[in-house]
């Protein structure tokens, strides 16, 4: 692992972190990422907003020279690796979940390094990003249950909200030992096409797809709410003096 200052990270520093992270997930992910680097499919620029462009087969990362770049690169690279033309409803609805989950797993990986403090601040930003309360998230999540899918893109905010809630839940239950390594690997590698009964079993949440409508039971929503609130409160108990410092020195 490169020695990087928590407040300053250049392009190769971000690439090295992300490369080591994907390698720690599996040799296959490590290889896919090294191919992206080798084929110059990663582009950093302060003027970009971070996204994956499938027509150009490239990820564009907003270059902020902070740890944020490594998280954005992980997120967009996972989109790159998962890309399929003509997505099914399940692939579409869970497309953000895979990417956000990889960010949270990168966070767990980095907490074991000298970047622990900066990582906690970063995770705090991911969890809190744009959302003031769980009620707002829950209100939005409920829309999925009544939404018809007619092969148009599912609202990207809804996909993000599902991703945020499921990823926090999955990451929390991996840490608690309630989701096994093999359960996690199934989700990581097959979330977009695994039978939902299998996902429901791994998560212990009643979740299913019926006629292209995603249903999460009231009990399931309560479990998601619980894990979200517990993760948030554990993060927000901590002081964040360094946060201002990091922002200012960027
Ligand atoms: Zn995304």
């Amino acid at each position: 692992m490169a020695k990087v200052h928590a407040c300053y990270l250049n392009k190769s520093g971000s690439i090295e972190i992300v490369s080591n992270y994907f390698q720690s997930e599996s040799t296959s992910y490590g290889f896919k990422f090294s191919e992206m680097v080798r084929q110059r499919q990663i582009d950093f620029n302060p003027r970009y907003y971070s996204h994956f462009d499938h027509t150009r087969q490239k990820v564009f990362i907003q270059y902020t020279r902070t740890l944020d770049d490594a998280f954005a690169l992980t997120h967009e690279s996972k989109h790159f690796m998962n890309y399929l033309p003509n997505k099914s409803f399940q692939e579409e609805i869970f497309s953000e979940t895979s990417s956000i989950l990889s960010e949270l797993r990168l966070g767990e990986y980095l907490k074991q390094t000298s970047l622990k403090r900066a990582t906690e601040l970063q995770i705090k930003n991911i969890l809190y990003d744009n959302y003031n309360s769980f009620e707002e998230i829950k209100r939005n999540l409920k829309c999925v249950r009544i939404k018809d899918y007619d092969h148009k893109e599912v609202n990207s905010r809804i996909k993000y909200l599902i991703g945020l809630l499921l990823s926090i839940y999955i990451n929390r239950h991996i840490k608690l030992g309630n989701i096994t390594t093999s359960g996690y690997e199934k989700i990581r590698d097959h979330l977009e096409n695994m039978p939902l009964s299998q996902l429901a079993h791994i998560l212990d949440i009643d979740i299913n797809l019926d006629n292209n409508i995603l249903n999460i039971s009231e009990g399931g929503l309560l479990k998601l709410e619980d894990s979200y609130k517990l993760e948030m409160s554990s993060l927000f108990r901590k002081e964040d003096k360094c946060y201002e410092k990091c922002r200012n020195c960027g």
Side-chain angles (χ1 to χ4, degrees):
M1 174 69 61
K3 275 196 178 164
V4 286
H5 189 268
C7 293
Y8 178 81
L9 192 62
N10 64 16
K11 294 172 201 178
S12 52
S14 276
I15 288 174
E16 186 177 348
I17 285 174
V18 177
S19 170
N20 289 339
Y21 160 67
F22 276 122
Q23 193 62 45
S24 79
E25 283 286 352
S26 76
T27 44
S28 158
Y29 281 105
F31 176 74
K32 283 180 192 168
F33 186 74
S34 69
E35 280 299 292
M36 288 173 63
V37 176
R38 195 178 65 80
Q39 301 199 32
R40 300 177 187 278
Q41 290 167 311
I42 300 165
D43 199 354
F44 289 88
N45 192 305
R47 284 170 298 143
Y48 295 154
Y49 75 95
S50 298
H51 69 288
F52 160 56
D53 183 333
H54 67 84
T55 52
R56 295 167 74 182
Q57 282 295 294
K58 213 167 179 174
V59 295
F60 295 88
I61 305 299
Q62 184 183 23
Y63 191 31
T64 65
R65 296 173 189 266
T66 67
L67 194 57
D68 199 39
D69 301 355
F71 279 83
L73 179 56
T74 300
H75 182 110
E76 302 307 336
S77 298
K78 197 76 200 296
H79 281 315
F80 184 111
M81 294 170 188
N82 281 358
Y83 177 72
L84 287 170
N86 305 321
K87 281 193 173 84
S88 70
F89 179 73
Q90 186 173 333
E91 284 160 349
E92 180 72 23
I93 202 95
F94 290 134
S95 59
E96 287 304 325
T97 309
S98 289
S99 282
I100 298 171
L101 181 58
S102 66
E103 285 188 76
L104 297 184
R105 297 311 294 162
L106 169 69
E108 296 305 322
Y109 169 77
L110 286 176
K111 279 181 194 168
Q112 301 156 18
T113 71
S114 59
L115 294 171
K116 185 174 191 291
R117 180 71 188 133
T119 299
E120 283 175 350
L121 296 167
Q122 183 66 34
I123 294 292
K124 195 188 267 188
N125 285 342
I126 295 172
L127 261 55
Y128 204 64
D129 199 19
N130 298 325
Y131 310 113
N132 296 321
S133 73
F134 182 80
E135 290 312 311
E136 191 212 342
I137 293 179
K138 218 163 74 165
R139 264 199 308 279
N140 279 283
L141 194 62
K142 284 195 169 165
C143 300
V144 186
R145 295 200 272 170
I146 51 162
K147 190 170 178 65
D148 284 320
Y149 179 69
D150 51 5
H151 298 283
K152 285 185 201 133
E153 277 240 316
V154 178
N155 180 306
S156 59
R157 184 168 169 79
I158 299 289
K159 282 192 292 190
Y160 194 85
L161 291 170
I162 292 171
L164 196 66
L165 276 190
L166 281 180
S167 304
I168 290 167
Y169 178 88
I170 293 164
N171 192 41
R172 180 173 174 80
H173 285 275
I174 293 169
K175 289 188 283 182
L176 291 172
N178 300 331
I179 294 178
T180 61
T181 305
S182 79
Y184 163 60
E185 287 171 355
K186 276 187 196 121
I187 294 172
R188 181 193 65 195
D189 300 341
H190 306 293
L191 176 64
E192 288 85 354
N193 51 25
M194 71 198 292
L196 276 229
S197 57
Q198 195 181 13
L199 179 66
H201 179 73
I202 296 171
L203 300 184
D204 195 24
I205 280 183
D206 189 6
I207 181 169
N208 64 69
L209 276 177
D210 186 20
N211 256 334
N212 287 337
I213 297 174
L214 184 73
N215 296 296
I216 302 174
S217 65
E218 280 299 329
L221 277 173
L222 276 174
K223 284 183 184 180
L224 294 175
E225 177 171 5
D226 250 17
S227 74
Y228 177 82
K229 285 183 172 166
L230 287 166
E231 288 291 299
M232 289 294 271
S233 66
S234 80
L235 279 168
F236 281 84
R237 258 201 314 270
K238 290 163 187 160
E239 281 184 87
D240 43 353
K241 275 181 192 154
C242 179
Y243 184 55
E244 294 305 323
K245 211 172 111 202
C246 290
R247 281 244 154 139
N248 294 338
C249 76

